[in-house]
Amino acid sequence: MTDPSAYPVQLVQPDGQRVLDREHAALVADVGPERLRQLYEDMVVARRIDTEATALQRQGQLGLWPPLLGQEAAQVGSAHALHADDYVFCSYREAAVAYCRGVDPASITRMWRGVAHSCWEPDEINMTNPAIVVGAQGLHATGYAYAAHLDGAEIAVVAYFGDGATSQGDIAEALGFAASWSAPVVFFCQNNQWAISEPVGVQSATPIARRAYGYGMPGVRVDGNDALGVLAVTRQAVARARAGGGPSFIEAITYRMGPHTTADDPARYRTAAELELWRRRDPIDRMRRLLEREQLWDGAFERRVRDRSDAVGELVRSATIGMPDPAPAALFDHVYATPHPLIDEERRQYTAYLEGVRS
């Protein structure tokens, strides 16, 4: 039997040609022309959100932004595999997943502008807000999934994280607990080759997906720049979780084309040659070539995607710039779910301080 972590699953090559893989192709056999086009459109729109937010940060409109450039297929492909009642625990880079889950693009930069504690209401789309603490969401996802399992809810919970997070103890604990208690979690690792300035080889001397075997769960590697391949393996893992089969681990091999965040300078630690190698594997170009090969590309569709991308980009820009500043005392809102005397006293003292400054 072939080790599923030895060779990444791939259904579409960089030139747009399909790969003969009967097992995984069967998992996306229902994906017809319109769904393929939707995958492409969502990736283009996600990239536009990302490039707009990056530009806004450079112009002083955002405090920080974690770019997802190059990881669109990993995020959009996996998001398309989820059911509405599945729950997503993201890291800080999954803006494309949020878009596919139905987040209003006008709210996607709220936290990064510093005008709110969060970007969206989690329960409206079954997805948490960006998690800044690296790897912490793995434990949160596992706890939520185990509770759902005890309640009899037949759902899957997905935890997104990067290759660097696999060196965090939180992820190790989450994997151990999920395997021991059959929690319905899909651990989705976006291996984008760099954890800030450290290459993935520093994180693991073996394919990251192989770690799953030590915990007693299946692990699979997939070409993370192949949206169709990602869709297939995520569907498989989600179906296993929803059916009570327990957790799975997916390693999506992709590349972070931009900086770790807008506070980072990747030119200090990686070469132009490496960047060019991965640019030739661009996930959006790959999907376009597939559409062209299968006679699904025409001028009308191209205009539709461009118009949608332009509209979302303009919405992100205008909404961000127009976000009102919160009242200073709002800092104390939502710290606890219920009233808390310590917070009430701190709010009172801070309000008195501000009044003294103004006077």
Side-chain angles (χ1 to χ4, degrees):
M1 181 178 177
T2 302
D3 177 359
S5 72
Y7 302 99
V9 172
Q10 185 185 75
L11 295 181
V12 180
Q13 296 177 11
D15 63 1
Q17 185 170 336
R18 289 190 185 251
V19 176
L20 179 60
D21 179 338
R22 291 186 177 87
E23 176 189 355
H24 294 99
L27 296 167
V28 291
D30 63 313
V31 177
E34 281 311 306
R35 189 64 176 275
L36 288 174
R37 285 178 161 182
Q38 191 62 55
L39 284 165
Y40 176 83
E41 179 179 314
D42 286 351
M43 285 194 288
V44 170
V45 173
R47 179 167 292 186
R48 180 58 180 272
I49 292 171
D50 183 61
T51 54
E52 200 70 54
T54 299
L56 284 163
Q57 193 281 330
R58 298 307 190 200
Q59 295 159 9
Q61 298 295 337
L62 296 180
L64 188 73
W65 179 255
L68 62 89
L69 183 66
Q71 298 180 221
E72 295 87 357
Q75 294 192 21
V76 171
S78 58
H80 272 248
L82 306 181
H83 301 247
D85 57 347
D86 293 332
Y87 213 100
V88 173
F89 286 77
C90 65
S91 68
Y92 40 74
R93 205 182 300 278
E94 282 73 47
V97 178
Y99 173 73
C100 291
R101 294 294 283 176
V103 167
D104 182 357
S107 68
I108 215 159
T109 58
R110 291 175 69 228
M111 188 186 79
W112 304 105
R113 187 168 170 82
V115 301
H117 293 299
S118 61
C119 298
W120 55 79
E121 174 55 51
D123 288 343
E124 290 180 0
I125 60 165
N126 283 355
M127 179 174 174
T128 60
N129 273 274
I132 306 302
V133 179
V134 176
Q137 70 276 13
L139 287 172
H140 304 156
T142 301
Y144 187 95
Y146 184 56
H149 174 70
L150 293 178
D151 286 344
E154 297 178 353
I155 66 168
V157 176
V158 183
Y160 286 93
F161 51 91
D163 48 291
T166 63
S167 293
Q168 293 286 351
D170 286 1
I171 293 296
E173 292 170 13
L175 289 167
F177 189 98
S180 295
W181 297 95
S182 296
V185 190
V186 177
F187 293 97
F188 194 96
C189 174
Q190 292 178 83
N191 177 358
N192 64 17
Q193 310 304 311
W194 289 93
I196 307 183
S197 59
E198 295 292 346
V200 66
V202 176
Q203 310 300 331
S204 181
T206 190
I208 294 173
R210 288 185 178 173
R211 295 187 184 184
Y213 306 156
Y215 291 96
M217 69 179 73
V220 62
R221 305 179 89 200
V222 62
D223 183 337
N225 286 6
D226 171 11
L228 212 54
V230 173
L231 175 60
V233 299
T234 310
R235 276 184 168 181
Q236 189 174 45
V238 166
R240 169 183 163 87
R242 291 177 68 92
S248 303
F249 191 104
I250 296 170
E251 178 189 359
I253 303 170
T254 182
Y255 192 76
R256 167 171 57 78
M257 295 295 292
H260 177 73
T261 71
T262 47
D264 170 44
D265 178 11
R268 299 180 63 183
Y269 54 81
R270 65 187 191 190
T271 66
E274 178 182 316
L275 197 63
E276 179 57 31
L277 173 67
W278 282 93
R279 186 175 286 115
R280 293 197 294 268
R281 302 172 182 174
D282 185 279
I284 293 179
D285 290 346
R286 185 181 309 200
M287 183 57 75
R288 173 168 178 159
R289 290 171 186 138
L290 173 65
L291 294 174
E292 289 173 339
R293 280 181 176 274
E294 301 192 353
Q295 309 299 311
L296 299 175
W297 186 273
D298 55 41
F301 173 65
E302 185 174 15
R303 287 190 296 274
R304 183 186 100 184
V305 174
R306 184 177 62 247
D307 290 348
R308 174 62 179 166
S309 176
D310 287 346
V312 171
E314 173 56 32
L315 177 60
V316 170
R317 171 164 288 275
S318 60
T320 299
I321 295 174
M323 288 175 182
D325 292 334
L331 176 68
F332 301 96
D333 296 343
H334 311 299
V335 177
Y336 290 95
T338 57
H340 193 287
L342 177 60
I343 294 297
D344 292 341
E345 176 60 20
E346 290 179 345
R347 181 189 289 108
R348 187 194 65 75
Q349 292 180 8
Y350 186 59
T351 301
Y353 163 76
L354 291 176
E355 290 174 352
V357 170
R358 289 169 185 149
S359 63

